[in-house]
Amino acid sequence: MRPDGKLRLRVIRDGRRISGVRVDNARPQVASALVGRSVDEALALIPTLFDRCVRAQGIAATAACVAAGAPNLVRAEAWAEERTLATECVQEHLGRLMLEWPALFGHPPRSERFAELDRCLAKLDDARAAYELGGDLLDLVVVELLTGFFRAAREPSGLREFVERARRGGSVGAALADLIEMGSSTPEGEAVPLLPALAAGAWARELGGVPSAAFCAAPVLFGRAHETGVLARHAGSMMVHNLLAHRHRIAARLFARVVDLSDCASRLRHPLASDMPVLVDAAPLGENAGLACVETARGLLMHAVRLDGDRIAEYAIIAPTEWNFHADGPFVREGCGWEADSDEAALLRLRALALSLDPCADYEIAFEDLPGA
């Protein structure tokens, strides 16, 4: 039942030029397994269907069913939902920032430090512990991940200074410098638009009902593919904006992940702060139907349900991966239209692109050469 099917990323080469990308998404749509079950049965089943963002899936399912009018069902307190989601986001971000990004560029992963923090997150059981761990995570960003950026009073004036600061210390800083030295990563054509922050009610009006399986497999907004995730949430942050302006889109996503980690740490210290956008929103989706929108480490997760009494009549799940690995989405757009000096250089850039978009499934990259290339 688990959606463990691989993403198969087919990269078309014409000599040294990467001329096209095709995504074969083998992830099964598990929402159909919920149809016909009682609400209680469905909510108990959902955590067994997923390996990643499990708590976010459960919160989204409950919120959608409550919005649909499920009898005798209530959501957790808002602060509890936020702490749960922030904790899960932190766990996801730390794995990418401390293990996968350093390893991609041959830097030592921070395995022991990651394991220490992961243990702390696993036993986060009261407000005081959450407050203290949030402070530790903010220190982690300043002292261990991006040391070089906090030794000066002003923002770097250009890419050269950005790279110099990145190299001064911090495991993420080193990866950022490596990304920038790879060269511009923004595609030749127009980049995929970033998914705007819409309220659940606006999404409900846009969807008009529980979306079809075809829509869930290839979601669009206003008829276009969009990018969701940390870049969509933090494109306005100064350093992220500057990297985008210099056409370093992959590096912008990496920096945005650090910003998002800091935001999650702040949520652990001060849940439901008025200057932070909500992580969970829900709204009716027509008669006996409801929609929940939940922000996760990877982007927007949506659950939609229609009830028939206390049973599931329709269910749909739109996951972030289906936005970012859409046939006209950011991986496809940014994965082609450039040249590489070697297979190794091409593969490194493609792996960095995939990691920056953070699919919730394993993936494989395969090259296909055009005839006569």
Side-chain angles (χ1 to χ4, degrees):
M1 283 293 190
R2 292 176 183 266
D4 291 336
K6 277 189 176 181
L7 290 173
R8 292 176 172 82
L9 309 174
R10 307 303 185 193
V11 181
I12 313 302
R13 291 185 300 194
D14 186 0
R16 292 170 49 189
R17 183 172 181 80
I18 307 299
S19 59
V21 174
R22 186 177 71 252
V23 176
D24 296 328
N25 188 348
R27 283 160 38 87
Q29 293 194 24
V30 299
S32 60
L34 305 174
V35 176
R37 299 179 185 271
S38 71
V39 170
D40 288 345
E41 289 171 340
L43 294 180
L45 181 61
I46 279 173
T48 72
L49 299 178
F50 300 94
D51 287 320
R52 295 160 185 167
C53 297
V54 174
R55 284 168 283 183
Q57 298 283 357
I59 288 172
T62 299
C65 288
V66 169
N72 304 316
L73 182 65
V74 295
R75 289 168 54 181
E77 295 286 345
W79 63 264
E81 287 183 339
E82 178 156 307
R83 181 191 292 173
T84 298
L85 291 170
T87 300
E88 189 167 67
C89 279
V90 166
Q91 289 173 317
E92 296 284 348
H93 288 333
L94 290 179
R96 305 297 171 272
L97 295 171
M98 303 184 78
L99 304 179
E100 296 186 44
W101 276 106
L104 182 66
F105 288 102
H107 305 301
R110 304 288 309 284
S111 303
E112 292 184 8
R113 183 73 168 112
F114 170 78
E116 174 191 344
L117 290 167
D118 196 51
R119 286 192 295 270
C120 292
L121 288 162
K123 59 183 182 182
L124 204 61
D125 55 5
D126 60 48
R128 181 176 180 83
Y131 183 89
E132 292 177 351
L133 183 57
D136 291 343
L137 291 168
L138 292 172
D139 289 343
L140 172 82
V141 170
V142 174
V143 177
E144 299 181 47
L145 300 184
L146 291 174
T147 313
F149 290 93
F150 296 94
R151 293 178 178 171
R154 59 171 177 79
E155 301 287 345
S157 59
L159 281 180
R160 179 175 295 179
E161 186 179 356
F162 185 100
V163 171
E164 289 173 355
R165 288 200 194 178
R167 293 287 187 205
R168 288 176 193 164
S171 52
V172 171
L176 278 165
D178 291 333
L179 279 172
I180 290 169
E181 290 176 345
M182 284 172 59
S184 168
S185 60
T186 300
E188 290 179 355
E190 181 186 0
V192 173
L194 300 174
L195 194 66
L198 297 182
W203 271 113
R205 290 189 293 275
E206 179 66 23
L207 293 172
V210 177
S212 67
F215 183 92
C216 295
V220 294
L221 177 64
F222 311 136
R224 299 185 66 185
H226 282 68
E227 175 177 346
T228 188
V230 292
L231 186 60
R233 289 199 288 266
H234 300 292
S237 177
M238 181 177 292
M239 294 294 289
V240 177
H241 175 78
N242 288 345
L243 286 167
L244 288 173
H246 285 91
R247 303 180 62 77
H248 287 277
R249 206 165 183 84
I250 299 176
R253 291 192 188 99
L254 176 53
F255 205 98
R257 189 169 300 279
V258 181
V259 176
D260 208 66
L261 172 61
S262 299
D263 272 8
C264 290
S266 296
R267 290 179 188 275
L268 291 177
R269 289 169 68 83
H270 304 289
L272 306 179
S274 60
D275 60 343
M276 289 280 200
V278 298
L279 294 180
V280 187
D281 192 18
L285 189 61
E287 187 176 1
N288 301 320
L291 173 71
C293 300
V294 175
E295 286 292 344
T296 73
R298 295 177 173 86
L300 179 66
L301 169 69
M302 292 193 286
H303 280 223
V305 61
R306 184 174 64 82
L307 302 178
D308 182 2
D310 71 341
R311 302 226 158 237
I312 308 293
E314 291 183 88
Y315 209 101
I317 299 173
I318 305 172
T321 295
E322 275 59 47
W323 287 103
N324 291 338
F325 291 82
H326 186 285
D328 195 31
F331 185 85
V332 169
R333 288 275 198 96
E334 297 173 38
C336 61
W338 44 274
E339 293 186 355
D341 293 333
S342 65
D343 288 355
E344 292 77 13
L347 190 58
L348 178 60
R349 177 163 165 174
L350 290 163
R351 284 177 173 167
L353 173 59
L355 183 55
S356 77
L357 293 166
D358 197 11
C360 53
D362 294 332
Y363 66 89
E364 62 182 21
I365 298 173
F367 293 106
E368 296 179 7
D369 291 311
L370 289 176

